[in-house]
Amino acid sequence: MANLDRRKFMKYLGGGAAVLGAGVGLSLGACSKSDTVESVTGEKAASVTKDVPVKFQTFQPGEYFDWEKSIIEERLAQAAKGPQKGGGGPGGEQAGGPTVITEDAILKYNKTWDPYNPLFNDREYAKKAGFPGVPAWPCFQTPRGGGVSGIPKNIADKFYYANDGSDVRVWTHIFAGDSFTSEGEKIDFEELTVAGSDLRMFKIGSSAKMFNAKGEHVGWGYGNTRDAYKKILEGSKPTFAENMSEWVTDFPKAHYTTDEEWEYVFSLWDKEQLRGSQKLYWEDVNEGDEPTWTCSGPITHMDLIGWNGGNQNGLFMRGNRDNRGVLFRDQYGQYLNETSIHYGGRNIPGSRMVFYNNTACYHIIRMLTNYIGDAGLVTRVRWIFRQLFPEMQLERPGAEFLDLVPSMKGKGCTVHGSEGDTVIAKGYVTKKYVNDRGENTIDLTCWGETLDNRIVQVVAASAKLPSKKG
């Protein structure tokens, strides 16, 4: 499910929790550009004079200026029209193409995110475990729902976007030959602008149900992004590349992995436990139990390209000639598409590649599949992270789940992961119950920590386990 950029979000349902109007960092009234910054357009470096006042337009919810009114009304109309039918496709949120799932697609996906577990990589092992073939790893297939178009990035003078995570629930194993369709459930287009703020903000979301070939309801998902913009009334206006690079100023320095930390990483690798065929029975799990940690990383730029398909962001200026005003231009004068923050971030002076929104989530899932063994099934993945742009950051992301863990109360995601970070996956069983489908279920709060104890992802998960009663 993850690896989701904003352009693909509404086409392939990811999900997310409702956004709180409060807690978004807002800059009111006039502000100024401080410090001299270097141009990242590839042209001669330009300087911005210190403390030059910049006056922004202030906004009121529901009151729109002529230059934005038609765009907003168009999206309100789309939301009023309601959801349209979608279709399932293999490969999670980046899926596409035929609805019938192939073993090759499953194996490619499984090997990308968990090449260590034979259940997901070895056909003969899977059959001995009682399966008809290799089961798809969690989040291979997610519900998809159409939704409202995103706000054009050139609507004003500054543009910001965020993904608030996804909540995906799939309560069936998936094998080659299966096929799924999705049915849109609802569409969100909600204004989150704070009265008198200089930041106009909208939540754009949708939910959908997923059905198998027999018409059985086997999944559900919800997600939302947020789009926001500012309008400059007086003062210099940034280029699109300068606007898209603003986050670098507030981003923490990259982590340097020391020899001592490498030894710690090696020790965590050695301690990992793959339960495999040894069943974890629901009766043997207690609230407060903690799965054995897994450790992924330190994560390099080569890892990020390999996981997410670097060809998505190749040079394709000719094919985007009509969008040249909203393509990122790096320090070499090259144009990159909107996900350049992930790949071309290395081309922003002082920056580096950053994680796709749920990169750490996938490594946390590996801890879960190790823990529940071959007989268990991950049925829910709700991932949350800290947004990149300061203007879009929420207070203590993931707090509602971390607060269920005694040692994690009061905490939240503290940083957006980037190359150089190590994801140490940790978890805690928060609830044990029989769900409304009669399945023996456990809920867990999971999170990913770096070597310097920063939280890069929170995942609320559920898993179905076998019972000793059969």
Side-chain angles (χ1 to χ4, degrees):
M1 73 184 180
N3 315 345
L4 186 60
D5 60 48
R6 66 177 301 277
R7 176 180 294 169
K8 291 177 180 174
F9 180 85
M10 297 314 301
K11 185 175 181 182
Y12 305 115
L13 175 66
V19 179
L20 303 178
V24 180
L26 298 177
S27 173
L28 304 179
C31 68
S32 63
K33 283 190 175 182
S34 60
D35 300 327
T36 298
V37 298
E38 184 176 310
S39 170
V40 294
T41 62
E43 301 166 359
K44 184 177 180 180
S47 63
V48 179
T49 306
K50 291 184 177 181
D51 301 321
V52 175
V54 178
K55 183 179 179 182
F56 291 97
Q57 178 71 65
T58 57
F59 300 106
Q60 300 297 330
E63 299 178 10
Y64 306 118
F65 297 97
D66 291 341
W67 54 269
E68 59 178 347
K69 187 175 183 180
S70 62
I71 291 173
I72 296 170
E73 288 180 342
E74 178 184 7
R75 282 146 183 82
L76 288 169
Q78 290 174 355
K81 187 177 179 181
Q84 304 299 302
K85 269 197 171 182
E93 291 169 342
Q94 290 190 317
T99 59
V100 177
I101 294 166
T102 67
E103 185 179 64
D104 285 345
I106 289 176
L107 288 172
K108 181 180 178 181
Y109 177 83
N110 292 3
K111 192 172 184 62
T112 297
W113 296 108
D114 189 356
Y116 315 109
N117 192 330
L119 177 65
F120 300 111
N121 295 278
D122 186 324
R123 185 187 305 109
E124 294 307 313
Y125 180 96
K127 287 184 177 180
K128 288 180 181 179
F131 296 106
V134 175
W137 204 65
C139 300
F140 169 84
Q141 179 76 43
T142 61
R144 307 193 309 178
V148 172
S149 304
I151 302 293
K153 295 186 291 296
N154 59 352
I155 187 174
D157 301 307
K158 291 195 174 194
F159 186 87
Y160 307 99
Y161 58 89
N163 188 322
D164 289 314
S166 66
D167 191 349
V168 173
R169 310 179 190 199
V170 178
W171 44 87
T172 184
H173 279 294
I174 296 172
F175 301 98
D178 288 345
S179 64
F180 299 90
T181 57
S182 294
E183 180 182 298
E185 184 180 57
K186 70 172 183 175
I187 289 177
D188 292 331
F189 184 68
E190 178 184 350
E191 183 165 7
L192 301 176
T193 306
V194 175
S197 166
D198 61 13
L199 189 72
R200 177 80 80 187
M201 184 185 296
F202 296 94
K203 180 179 77 171
I204 304 172
S206 68
S207 66
K209 297 177 181 179
M210 189 170 79
F211 300 87
N212 64 16
K214 297 178 181 179
E216 297 167 331
H217 182 201
V218 295
W220 176 90
Y222 172 78
N224 76 270
T225 58
R226 283 178 289 135
D227 284 356
Y229 52 87
K230 293 183 179 182
K231 181 77 169 177
I232 296 176
L233 299 179
E234 296 178 12
S236 60
K237 299 180 180 180
T239 65
F240 183 72
E242 288 169 337
N243 174 197
M244 290 290 101
S245 303
E246 289 178 3
W247 59 271
V248 174
T249 304
D250 299 287
F251 205 62
K253 293 182 178 179
H255 181 82
Y256 178 85
T257 308
T258 65
D259 291 344
E260 291 77 13
E261 287 173 332
W262 269 113
E263 290 302 318
Y264 178 58
V265 168
F266 295 153
S267 72
L268 291 177
W269 290 353
D270 292 339
K271 293 175 183 176
E272 288 188 17
Q273 295 180 2
L274 182 60
R275 186 178 301 275
S277 60
Q278 183 182 358
K279 289 185 178 181
L280 175 65
Y281 288 104
W282 180 77
E283 288 86 352
D284 293 334
V285 177
N286 298 300
E287 293 182 7
D289 285 354
E290 300 182 15
T292 301
W293 302 351
T294 58
C295 178
S296 302
I299 291 170
T300 70
H301 73 284
M302 295 176 71
D303 292 324
L304 292 168
I305 291 172
W307 290 330
N308 301 297
N311 62 332
Q312 295 175 15
N313 301 288
L315 299 177
F316 49 89
M317 181 57 196
R318 184 174 179 82
N320 281 269
R321 55 190 172 188
D322 295 333
N323 301 319
R324 67 192 71 178
V326 288
L327 290 176
F328 180 85
R329 197 175 186 196
D330 71 7
Q331 61 179 326
Y332 307 114
Q334 301 172 126
Y335 283 102
L336 303 168
N337 79 348
E338 64 186 88
T339 54
S340 62
I341 285 177
H342 298 290
Y343 290 106
R346 292 172 64 82
N347 294 350
I348 301 172
S351 183
R352 58 196 176 280
M353 289 176 67
V354 296
F355 290 2
Y356 264 78
N357 299 337
N358 61 351
T359 296
C361 168
Y362 274 43
H363 298 290
I364 291 169
I365 290 174
R366 185 167 65 84
M367 175 191 68
L368 291 171
T369 54
N370 282 1
Y371 175 61
I372 65 176
D374 299 347
L377 174 67
V378 175
T379 56
R380 183 196 185 191
V381 174
R382 163 74 175 100
W383 59 267
I384 306 165
F385 74 122
R386 188 170 183 83
Q387 292 78 12
L388 196 61
F389 292 101
E391 288 81 1
M392 307 300 283
Q393 291 173 359
L394 304 176
E395 185 178 358
R396 290 210 300 138
E400 66 269 38
F401 300 110
L402 288 176
D403 283 347
L404 299 175
V405 182
S407 64
M408 301 299 290
K409 284 185 178 180
K411 296 184 179 181
C413 294
T414 53
V415 69
H416 189 112
S418 66
E419 61 174 301
D421 283 337
T422 297
V423 179
I424 302 171
K426 303 181 180 182
Y428 184 96
V429 177
T430 59
K431 190 177 180 182
K432 175 182 172 181
Y433 58 101
V434 177
N435 67 17
D436 55 7
R437 293 186 299 278
E439 299 165 339
N440 297 291
T441 304
I442 58 171
D443 290 347
L444 304 96
T445 290
C446 309
W447 63 97
E449 288 187 9
T450 65
L451 288 169
D452 40 10
N453 303 117
R454 296 183 294 188
I455 300 174
V456 293
Q457 195 102 65
V458 171
V459 174
S462 299
K464 178 173 66 174
L465 296 176
S467 171
K468 292 180 178 180
K469 298 176 182 179

